[in-house]
Amino acid sequence: MSIASQLPALQIVVPLLVAPLTVLLRGSGLAWAAATAASAMAFAIAVALTLTALDGATISYDMGGWPAPYGIELRLDAFSALLLLLTTGASTLSLLGARDSIAELMGESREPLFYAAWLVALAGLCGIAITGDAFNVFVFMEISSLATYVLIAAGPDRRALTAAFKYLIMGTVGATFYLIGVGLVYMMTGTLNFADMEARLAEVDEVRPIVVAAGFITIGLALKAAIFPLHVWLPNAYSSAPNLVTVFIAACSTKVALYVLLRFDFFVFHGNLVGHAFQFSSFLAPLAVLGILVGSAVAVVESNVKRLLAYSSVAQLGYILLGASFGDLAGMTAAITLMFNHGLAKGALFMAIAALAMHTRGHTLADLSGAARQMPWTAAALVIAGASLIGIPGTAGFISKWLLLQAALQQGPLGVVAAVAVVAGSLAALAYVWRIIEPLYFGTAEGSTAGGSTAVYTATPPLLLLALWLAAGANVYFGLIPAVPVSLSELAAAELLGHLR
Amino acid sequence: MTPTLAIGLSLLLPALGAFAIAAADSRPNLRETITVLVALALAATVATLLPGVMAGERPELYLGELLPGISIAFKVEPLGMLYACLASGLWIVNSIYSIGYMRGNSEKHQTRFYVCFAIALAAVMGIAFAENLVTLFLFYEILTLSTYPLVAHKGDSNTIASARVYLGILLATSVGLLLPAIIWTYSVADTVSFVPGGILTGSLTGPGVGLLLALFVFGIGKAAVMPVHRWLPAAMVAPTPVSALLHAVAVVKAGVFTVTKVILYIFGTGLLAQEPSSNWLIFASAFTILAASIVALRQQNLKRMLAYSTIGQLSYVIMAAAVLTPLAKIGASIHMVAHAFGKITLFFAAGAIYTASKKTELNQLRGIGTQMPWTMAAFTIGALSMIGVPPTGGFVSKWFILAGAFQSDNYVAIFTIIVSTALNAAYFLPIIFAAWFAKPDPQLKSHGEAPTAIVVALSITALATLGFFFFNQPVLDLERALMDQ
């Protein structure tokens, strides 16, 4: 059996096995190197898998040789390939830049444990993206969440502990809801495999438990995905976590939850529940619009940069959900492209903030004053990522905004309302990105209020700068040559909605 | 050189020039030599395209597909050819002027200035040659972003506040109105290409036409139709070469050029003539012309007055395009040229006065003509062109716009042109009179003429303003193709 056919399993196994080994690696930088290498290998595997998924092929892999639906099936299609690409890419880039700031934050003795937790989180997220089994999703969700709580709690001050605790409570509630829903579906169908579930649901006569299950699953995952108004844990978690952890989780963790939400609602339920499409849209579309408006409005007035970007994420998740709630091919394609492109933009932005924060200490807008003079490259990358968040042409954000607006305009009068909300959100993005950029370039350093400590500028770690520019470069690359994410999204949307035909 | 290569080069030359200028940071003489050389090379490259386009060819360059049905592509047509010639030709003169101005005023960050200028010119070429709305939009935004550092050049709090207005209005209108307009166009017409005669005929009727037109006209903030004009006076905090080339020629012409292109190649004059819902554009542009002239009357600062004059003159182009008759279309394109020559001369003169004497206000200009005869002679020519007095270029374009308005008996346009001519005279003639004939304040020390590079540049553009009155046939030949649509 060739190694290539084992790639779906290796996608999870590599980070999961390297994690305990990392704990044993004492000595400066060793644990970091091992974690980065494992993550880079996971990224390489994701790229290899994406190449096959681009043809529209679906790879099915039976864990332990047990055939589906009895055994656990790993199932790779375009949607999961896109998520794997995003997750492993974000993890690799943020690990690449993480060495110095994490070494400073954790100290040499706790460093290996931190990187082990990181790899476990990565393995969990990859597992969610690639598994074809509903209960397996729950297991991986718990694995990744528990590890993420650890990563967030490693934040520089004590607020990180309350943030991690809030996230833990909310995350556990969400996961429990999900499990209740899966249990109900299992009760009615006797299977946990997504594809099998979808087929067997058609034969279920009594649909009320399924409707209840759909409710539990949607709410539980909406909590995990921080969909407005269940987003309250997110700004705290993002702003208190270590900067590079924020990069990692902001780029992919909520998207992975959304991925499961879309997979369940569209792949499993959509064709089987009468009126599900209408319920899904009429319930989630207003929440999405509210999320866009409220998230944007808070971001416009927020003065802590990380919280500002976190509220922007709430708005951006609204865009994704809005696209999905249109329930047609164009909307779903837009939503999935947005997942990817927003991950790129927000990851690069948080990475730039991480680089800046190594010198400015504080995270308020005033702390960034004038930093561009000492750190022109970091500031320039931040401008590019900000442009992508706004949707300036030439960046990835433009592509997704174009697709979303185009999908909205196909929806008739209500679509115009949605389009207006999207445009309003873009204008707000312009305002809050500008609130970061202007002090960065034109502020005077006297404006700094970093707890009395004056900002000391030393060179940014070259690896962090490299990771940042790779991320910023990806925003431009996928803005000018968007074929890969867009065609993956189209395939994924067709797969999700294939049952409607 | 094949035409396709020439299109690619005209985009690449200024972009690569920007890198070369940045690399020559520590050697000012080399840096400015590169700027002038790149400007010359660009103008020469653009000029190679001219004979073919005049002969009816439409060379194309295809770069790649962005999304299904939407590509990054370029195609040269007469209007874009004219705009590219104008911008690249005046960039040479402006570069010479910049050297005199930036050195004469010992400005800081000169490398950043020349780099951003080169990027802006690359964006202008992209706008001029864009084959479709999305390509145009891409370069439109690059132009906004690359000119921002030029506007904020001085870096003090007042400048930054103005620059924020500049960027805020231009980006907000383009993201908030222009982008939805483009997507709307795409969703009804299934294409965003510029096609002679328009792409919307048959797919959009009724009030939607007027609404889409409004999204376009106000979304293209660079055209400065009121009420989205405030960025232009705000941009006057920039160094004068920026105001001269960008905010009298390249950026503002990008606005009216885009509006004209949208009217001719997206809507098509046929569709707009049928749809009463699009009639508002005549009134909006007429209002802008008159209101801007009245505001200009009340200005005390020379550059701000010129900015309001520009706002009015830009709406001449839009009104001419909205009149929709063949002669008015010619008038619209010629007015872009005539106004460019005249207004760049006026800004050059304003910068010359500032460099020589640090004067910026109108009431300080009494008797300055005796000290700076060359500058004020050029200023006079530029001002006469704004009013439309022969023998200047402004007369020619006004003639065509008026003739076009009479073709369709458009009395709103005719009335606006007559009244605005009187208003233009009312705010330009007193300045000219005071500059030449009033007695200067005897306590002021004499300062003499501006640096040679500046005087050379403004003399060239003043001559061009005069010359356009006599030698406008090539432009007419180039734009004749517009009449047939």
Side-chain angles (χ1 to χ4, degrees):
Chain A
M1 194 180 266
S2 74
I3 192 83
S5 59
Q6 303 294 335
L7 283 181
L10 286 174
Q11 181 77 77
I12 310 167
V13 169
V14 167
L16 201 58
L17 277 188
V18 177
L21 296 178
T22 310
V23 181
L24 303 175
L25 292 173
R26 303 281 151 175
S28 75
L30 274 181
W32 167 80
T36 311
S39 177
M41 193 186 266
F43 179 64
I45 294 170
V47 171
L49 290 173
T50 306
L51 291 180
T52 49
L54 263 177
D55 305 334
T58 305
I59 304 172
S60 180
Y61 179 94
D62 299 327
M63 271 318 252
W66 295 91
Y70 309 106
I72 291 169
E73 182 198 15
L74 298 187
R75 195 179 160 86
L76 183 108
D77 57 17
F79 199 4
S80 37
L82 196 70
L83 256 282
L84 287 174
L85 213 53
L86 180 64
T87 308
T88 56
S91 159
T92 309
L93 282 184
S94 34
L95 276 173
L96 193 63
R99 189 179 69 178
D100 297 83
S101 65
I102 296 299
E104 188 188 328
L105 185 66
M106 304 300 298
E108 204 170 292
S109 59
R110 289 191 300 164
E111 217 179 289
L113 292 169
F114 176 86
Y115 286 115
W118 186 304
L119 284 180
V120 171
L122 175 65
L125 292 172
C126 289
I128 299 173
I130 203 171
T131 187
D133 184 284
F135 185 74
N136 209 224
V137 164
F138 171 74
V139 173
F140 281 124
M141 206 190 297
E142 285 301 280
I143 290 175
S144 69
S145 299
L146 289 171
T148 309
Y149 306 144
V150 174
L151 294 179
I152 291 174
D157 54 37
R158 290 161 66 91
R159 271 173 296 185
L161 298 178
T162 46
F165 186 70
K166 273 184 196 163
Y167 184 23
L168 181 134
I169 299 294
M170 301 287 262
T172 309
V173 171
T176 311
F177 270 39
Y178 174 77
L179 190 61
I180 293 171
V182 171
L184 284 169
V185 179
Y186 181 66
M187 183 179 81
M188 300 307 290
T189 61
T191 183
L192 288 168
N193 184 293
F194 280 129
D196 199 33
M197 211 181 260
E198 197 268 325
R200 291 204 192 183
L201 267 179
E203 297 153 20
V204 174
D205 298 328
E206 183 54 63
V207 292
R208 184 156 299 165
I210 307 293
V211 173
V212 174
F216 269 111
I217 289 171
T218 306
I219 303 281
L221 291 170
L223 234 175
K224 280 276 187 193
I227 285 165
F228 182 87
L230 305 172
H231 65 281
V232 283
W233 59 267
L234 182 134
N236 290 318
Y238 280 17
S239 57
S240 305
N243 287 326
L244 284 145
V245 172
T246 311
V247 176
F248 179 37
I249 58 175
C252 58
S253 73
T254 49
K255 273 115 204 148
V256 169
L258 258 180
Y259 160 82
V260 183
L261 178 79
L262 295 182
R263 176 142 292 215
F264 237 113
D265 270 314
F266 285 93
F267 188 80
V268 177
F269 292 137
H270 217 99
N272 290 314
L273 293 179
V274 178
H276 179 262
F278 176 73
Q279 285 168 1
F280 185 84
S281 324
S282 57
F283 178 58
L284 288 179
L287 290 184
V289 170
L290 275 176
I292 292 170
L293 298 180
V294 174
S296 302
V298 176
V300 168
V301 295
E302 181 61 57
S303 66
N304 177 312
V305 181
K306 285 177 82 179
R307 288 184 75 85
L308 184 157
L309 291 177
Y311 276 105
S312 148
S313 281
V314 173
Q316 300 278 337
L317 289 165
Y319 290 144
I320 300 173
L321 199 63
L322 185 68
S325 71
F326 293 153
D328 64 354
L329 199 64
M332 192 59 78
T333 308
I336 297 170
T337 313
L338 256 166
M339 282 177 151
F340 186 78
N341 288 350
H342 173 243
L344 290 180
K346 198 49 72 65
L349 273 173
F350 272 120
M351 186 108 62
I353 298 298
L356 289 170
M358 287 194 74
H359 305 291
T360 60
R361 302 297 159 198
H363 284 125
T364 64
L365 291 170
D367 291 327
L368 299 180
S369 282
R373 272 190 283 281
Q374 277 81 12
M375 309 172 73
W377 288 99
T378 307
L382 190 145
V383 171
I384 293 175
S388 184
L389 192 68
I390 300 167
I392 302 287
T395 60
F398 172 72
I399 303 294
S400 35
K401 200 139 283 176
W402 173 280
L403 290 172
L404 183 63
L405 280 174
Q406 200 196 324
L409 288 181
Q410 287 174 8
Q411 296 293 316
L414 277 177
V416 175
V417 176
V420 169
V422 173
V423 169
S426 303
L427 293 179
L430 184 62
Y432 59 69
V433 168
W434 192 245
R435 290 184 67 223
I436 306 174
I437 291 175
E438 195 175 281
L440 194 61
Y441 275 90
F442 296 107
T444 47
E446 288 84 62
S448 175
T449 56
S453 65
T454 46
V456 181
Y457 293 96
T458 50
T460 309
L463 280 176
L464 180 55
L465 206 54
L466 173 71
L468 173 59
W469 270 92
L470 284 174
N475 274 296
V476 175
Y477 178 82
F478 288 116
L480 294 175
I481 309 168
V484 170
V486 172
S487 52
L488 278 176
S489 305
E490 277 172 351
L491 284 170
E495 162 98 14
L496 284 181
L497 299 170
H499 310 275
L500 295 179
R501 266 183 269 120
Chain B
M1 192 176 342
T2 65
T4 309
L5 181 67
I7 299 174
L9 266 185
S10 52
L11 292 162
L12 268 181
L13 271 173
L16 295 177
F19 281 104
I21 293 165
D25 180 20
S26 54
R27 299 163 68 186
N29 288 335
L30 179 63
R31 176 186 69 200
E32 277 135 52
T33 311
I34 294 173
T35 304
V36 175
L37 285 180
V38 171
L40 284 169
L42 177 66
T45 312
V46 172
T48 61
L49 286 164
L50 193 56
V53 175
M54 288 184 81
E57 287 169 28
R58 300 288 178 264
E60 290 183 47
L61 171 66
Y62 177 82
L63 280 190
E65 191 170 63
L66 196 62
L67 290 166
I70 296 162
S71 47
I72 301 289
F74 304 93
K75 182 175 178 181
V76 187
E77 46 73 56
L79 208 55
M81 190 69 237
L82 186 66
Y83 174 50
C85 286
L86 195 60
S88 63
L90 287 178
W91 189 30
I92 305 172
V93 188
N94 195 72
S95 299
I96 299 169
Y97 181 85
S98 297
I99 297 168
Y101 183 90
M102 298 303 276
R103 293 190 175 188
N105 289 303
S106 319
E107 295 274 351
K108 291 175 188 159
H109 306 301
Q110 292 198 19
T111 303
R112 186 180 75 191
F113 174 87
Y114 288 110
V115 168
C116 289
F117 228 115
I119 298 173
L121 258 291
V124 165
M125 292 302 131
I127 293 173
F129 294 149
E131 190 267 341
N132 57 53
L133 277 170
V134 173
T135 310
L136 191 147
F137 186 56
L138 170 67
F139 287 98
Y140 182 94
E141 297 292 46
I142 294 175
L143 184 58
T144 306
L145 295 175
S146 63
T147 48
Y148 172 78
L150 294 172
V151 174
H153 189 85
K154 223 166 156 189
D156 57 20
S157 59
N158 183 25
T159 309
I160 290 166
S162 295
R164 189 189 303 142
V165 173
Y166 177 81
L167 192 73
I169 292 181
L170 287 183
L171 277 186
T173 50
S174 64
V175 171
L177 302 172
L178 181 55
L179 180 61
I182 295 174
I183 295 177
W184 186 1
T185 306
Y186 181 68
S187 62
V188 295
D190 273 331
T191 173
V192 284
S193 293
F194 294 117
V195 177
I199 55 176
L200 288 169
T201 311
S203 43
L204 192 66
T205 50
V209 176
L211 184 61
L212 183 59
L213 187 65
L215 284 181
F216 270 118
V217 170
F218 295 114
I220 302 165
K222 288 186 176 39
V225 177
M226 285 181 179
V228 288
H229 66 285
R230 300 201 76 91
W231 62 272
L232 189 54
M236 292 300 131
V237 296
T240 305
V242 176
S243 308
L245 184 59
L246 296 176
H247 300 121
V249 182
V251 172
V252 289
K253 291 298 179 298
V256 288
F257 166 76
T258 309
V259 171
T260 312
K261 254 191 126 154
V262 165
I263 289 176
L264 295 183
Y265 297 113
I266 297 295
F267 287 96
T269 46
L271 177 67
L272 289 183
Q274 286 166 17
E275 283 299 340
S277 64
S278 64
N279 287 348
W280 64 269
L281 186 55
I282 294 268
F283 296 96
S285 49
F287 173 79
T288 305
I289 292 172
L290 297 179
S293 301
I294 291 167
V295 177
L297 269 177
R298 302 165 50 88
Q299 295 301 313
Q300 290 305 312
N301 178 293
L302 176 56
K303 278 178 79 179
R304 283 184 74 85
M305 188 204 82
L306 292 178
Y308 277 103
S309 159
T310 303
I311 295 171
Q313 298 284 333
L314 291 174
S315 276
Y316 267 89
V317 179
I318 294 177
M319 189 174 76
V323 166
L324 303 173
T325 57
L327 282 177
K329 282 189 267 184
I330 299 276
S333 57
I334 293 183
H335 195 66
M336 279 196 229
V337 182
H339 172 249
F341 288 151
K343 194 48 74 58
I344 199 171
T345 308
L346 287 169
F347 272 112
F348 279 174
I353 294 167
Y354 175 73
T355 310
S357 67
K358 302 291 166 202
K359 287 172 181 165
T360 55
E361 305 303 308
L362 293 176
N363 57 15
Q364 298 170 325
L365 300 183
R366 298 164 60 80
I368 202 166
T370 51
Q371 297 212 38
M372 306 180 71
W374 288 93
T375 302
M376 288 320 292
F379 186 93
T380 308
I381 294 171
L384 291 180
S385 180
M386 289 300 122
I387 303 167
V389 178
T392 59
F395 173 77
V396 183
S397 56
K398 251 180 199 172
W399 175 271
F400 273 98
I401 298 175
L402 264 178
F406 274 113
Q407 266 186 331
S408 66
D409 290 337
N410 196 322
Y411 293 108
V412 177
I414 295 165
F415 169 81
T416 308
I417 293 169
I418 293 168
V419 173
S420 131
T421 303
L423 287 169
N424 290 348
Y427 60 78
F428 273 119
L429 291 182
I431 303 170
I432 297 172
F433 185 83
W436 289 113
F437 302 115
K439 285 254 181 301
D441 194 337
Q443 286 161 350
L444 289 178
K445 59 175 190 278
S446 77
H447 43 72
E449 189 55 272
T452 316
I454 291 182
V455 174
V456 168
L458 61 83
S459 303
I460 295 174
T461 55
L463 278 178
T465 311
L466 287 178
F468 192 66
F469 179 78
F470 300 102
F471 306 107
N472 47 37
Q473 200 57 41
V475 179
L476 289 177
D477 289 341
L478 178 63
E479 301 308 314
R480 183 139 295 155
L482 295 178
M483 282 182 76
D484 307 331
Q485 286 157 21

